[in-house]
């Protein structure tokens, strides 16, 4: 191409290049506008999500739990009958198993005999009080009689002493014989001995009265301010009888609540001891859910807030409603058998989860029963019950 041709072609080429640059600029502006619109839409969606969904927290790390009842034996003995099996549903008061009650019946009969004996002893003690009171009255009469004999003996002794004094004076002057003087001296000694005997009889009568009074006081102390049914010995015997009757009742092991039998380990012929775990009763109408929320989710979660739950068993078509009733005392790792040693140098922060307990509605559990350990999805409305 000649130089003239190049000169003639330049204006056209420059125009084309300018047109291309202009189109590129317009395209970039259009892309920037679209990008800006996307950012605005994302911001609006985020704001809407924060307003609409920011009042709830959810987790799929949740599981059904229950306060299961451990059925234990309160008495020892051989299992006579087992009336339930695993998975069987029972009502409160249903008989689960029966332990041989023959030993318990013998214990009841023995306790009844001891109670009857204690009541008879009370009757005997009451009769003894009457007898001892009569003895005291008789002893009083004996004392009075002994006092009279003492007085009589003392009078006789005084007379004998006076007679001996006269005989002694006469004997000194030789007016009486020595034999007569000896007789008066013997009479004085006999009178003195009679006084001693009378005084001893009086002391003995008083001692008998004191002994009878002591026995009466001791007997009255046993039955004072009490009747046959309230005396200590009768109360102890009655308590033993009540215990024997209770042990007899406990040979029939009954369900303490409504639920389903689980982990039955008792067999016919097995000998059980007090405290032996025989089976468990799971109260399927009183279940709860332990939802393990991240610690970053719990800022607004409070006791009393409402929760909506779904089970993997029924799917999202069935919803359960519950209420937050409490928080665990620690995270799962804190209660682990071997807790994490975060003080070591190779520590890596891991988001912890805290179990939140949610009580389920019993009416919904009747319509759609659950079992312990099933997986659940839980969503707590943090705007409720603040």
């Amino acid at each position: 191409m000649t130089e003239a041709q190049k000169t003639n072609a330049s204006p056209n080429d420059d125009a084309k290049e300018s047109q291309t640059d202009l189109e590129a600029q317009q395209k970039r502006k259009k892309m920037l506008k679209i990008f800006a619109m996307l950012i605005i839409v994302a911001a609006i969606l985020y704001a809407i999500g924060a307003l609409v969904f920011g009042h709830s927290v959810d987790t799929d790390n949740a599981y059904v739990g229950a306060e299961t009842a451990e059925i234990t034996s309160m008495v020892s003995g051989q299992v006579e009958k087992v009336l339930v099996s695993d998975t069987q549903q029972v009502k409160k008061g249903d008989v689960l198993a029966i332990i041989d009650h023959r030993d318990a019946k013998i214990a009841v009969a023995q306790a009844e005999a001891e109670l009857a004996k204690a009541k008879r002893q009370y009757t005997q003690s009451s009769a003894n009080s009457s007898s001892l009171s009569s003895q005291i009255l008789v002893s009083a009469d004996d004392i009075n009689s002994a006092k009279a004999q003492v007085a009589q003996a003392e009078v006789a002794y005084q007379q004998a002493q006076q007679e001996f004094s006269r005989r002694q004076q006469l004997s000194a002057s030789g007016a009486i014989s020595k034999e007569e003087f000896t007789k008066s001296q013997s009479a004085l000694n006999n009178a003195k001995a009679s006084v001693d005997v009378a005084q001893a009889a009086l002391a003995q009568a008083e001692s008998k009265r004191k002994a009878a009074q002591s026995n009466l006081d001791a007997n009255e102390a046993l039955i004072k301010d009490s009747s046959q049914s309230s005396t200590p010995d009768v109360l102890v015997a009655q308590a033993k009888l009540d215990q024997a009757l209770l042990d007899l009742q406990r040979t029939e092991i009954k369900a303490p609540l409504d639920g389903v039998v689980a982990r039955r380990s008792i067999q016919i012929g097995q000998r059980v001891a007090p405290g032996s775990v025989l089976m468990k009763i799971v109260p399927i109408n009183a279940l709860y859910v332990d939802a393990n929320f991240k610690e970053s989710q719990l800022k607004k979660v409070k006791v009393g807030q409402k929760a909506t739950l779904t089970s993997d068993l029924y799917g999202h078509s069935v919803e359960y409603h519950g209420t937050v009733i409490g928080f665990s005392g620690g995270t799962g790792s804190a209660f682990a058998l071997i807790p994490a040693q975060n003080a070591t140098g190779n520590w890596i922060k891991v988001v912890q989860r805290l179990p939140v307990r949610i009580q389920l509605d019993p009416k919904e559990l009747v319509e759609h029963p659950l079992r312990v350990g099933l997986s659940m999805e839980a969503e707590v409305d943090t705007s409720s019950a603040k």
Side-chain angles (χ1 to χ4, degrees), residues 214-253:
S214 297
N215 291 333
L216 177 62
D217 293 340
N219 200 74
E220 286 292 326
L222 294 175
I223 62 175
K224 184 179 180 181
D225 298 331
S226 64
S227 61
Q228 187 183 61
S229 60
S230 63
T231 187
D233 290 341
V234 173
L235 291 176
V236 171
Q238 184 66 54
K240 290 182 178 179
L241 176 59
D242 293 341
Q243 182 64 54
L245 290 171
L246 182 60
D247 290 341
L248 179 59
Q249 292 178 358
R250 286 173 172 170
T251 57
E252 287 189 350
I253 302 173

Side-chain angles (χ1 to χ4, degrees), residues 101-282:
H101 55 263
R102 286 176 292 181
D103 292 338
K105 284 187 174 180
I106 292 173
V108 169
Q110 184 178 359
E112 288 175 344
E114 290 180 355
L115 178 60
K117 179 181 178 181
K119 289 181 177 180
R120 288 188 179 183
Q121 286 178 344
Y122 176 83
T123 304
Q124 182 179 359
S125 297
S126 299
N128 287 340
S129 293
S130 300
S131 176
L132 291 171
S133 297
S134 300
Q135 288 181 15
I136 291 174
L137 294 176
V138 172
S139 298
D141 294 337
D142 291 342
I143 290 173
N144 292 330
S145 177
K147 285 181 178 180
Q149 290 178 1
V150 169
Q152 183 179 1
E154 287 178 347
V155 170
Y157 175 67
Q158 290 176 359
Q159 291 176 353
Q161 196 173 22
Q162 292 174 359
E163 184 68 22
F164 176 73
S165 297
R166 287 196 304 269
R167 299 286 181 175
Q168 190 176 22
Q169 292 175 359
L170 294 173
S171 177
S173 61
I176 60 173
S177 63
K178 182 179 290 187
E179 182 179 359
E180 191 174 354
F181 174 73
T182 301
K183 287 181 179 180
S184 64
Q185 188 175 15
S186 298
L188 176 62
N189 293 335
N190 290 334
K192 180 67 172 65
S194 296
V195 171
D196 293 339
V197 170
Q199 289 178 344
L202 175 61
Q204 184 178 8
E206 290 178 344
S207 298
K208 287 182 178 180
R209 186 178 185 279
K210 289 180 180 179
Q213 185 65 49
S214 297
N215 291 333
L216 177 62
D217 293 340
N219 200 74
E220 286 292 326
L222 294 175
I223 62 175
K224 184 179 180 181
D225 298 331
S226 64
S227 61
Q228 187 183 61
S229 60
S230 63
T231 187
D233 290 341
V234 173
L235 291 176
V236 171
Q238 184 66 54
K240 290 182 178 179
L241 176 59
D242 293 341
Q243 182 64 54
L245 290 171
L246 182 60
D247 290 341
L248 179 59
Q249 292 178 358
R250 286 173 172 170
T251 57
E252 287 189 350
I253 302 173
K254 299 181 179 181
L257 44 77
D258 298 349
V260 173
V261 178
R263 300 182 65 181
R264 197 204 81 177
S265 59
I266 185 174
Q267 302 294 336
I268 295 177
Q270 178 182 349
R271 184 169 183 81
V272 296
S276 302
V277 179
L278 310 179
M279 65 189 75
K280 290 187 176 183
I281 303 294
V282 182

Side-chain angles (χ1 to χ4, degrees), residues 38-55:
L38 291 175
I39 293 176
I40 293 172
V41 170
I44 293 173
L45 291 175
Y46 178 79
I48 293 174
L51 291 174
V52 177
F53 302 103
H55 296 300

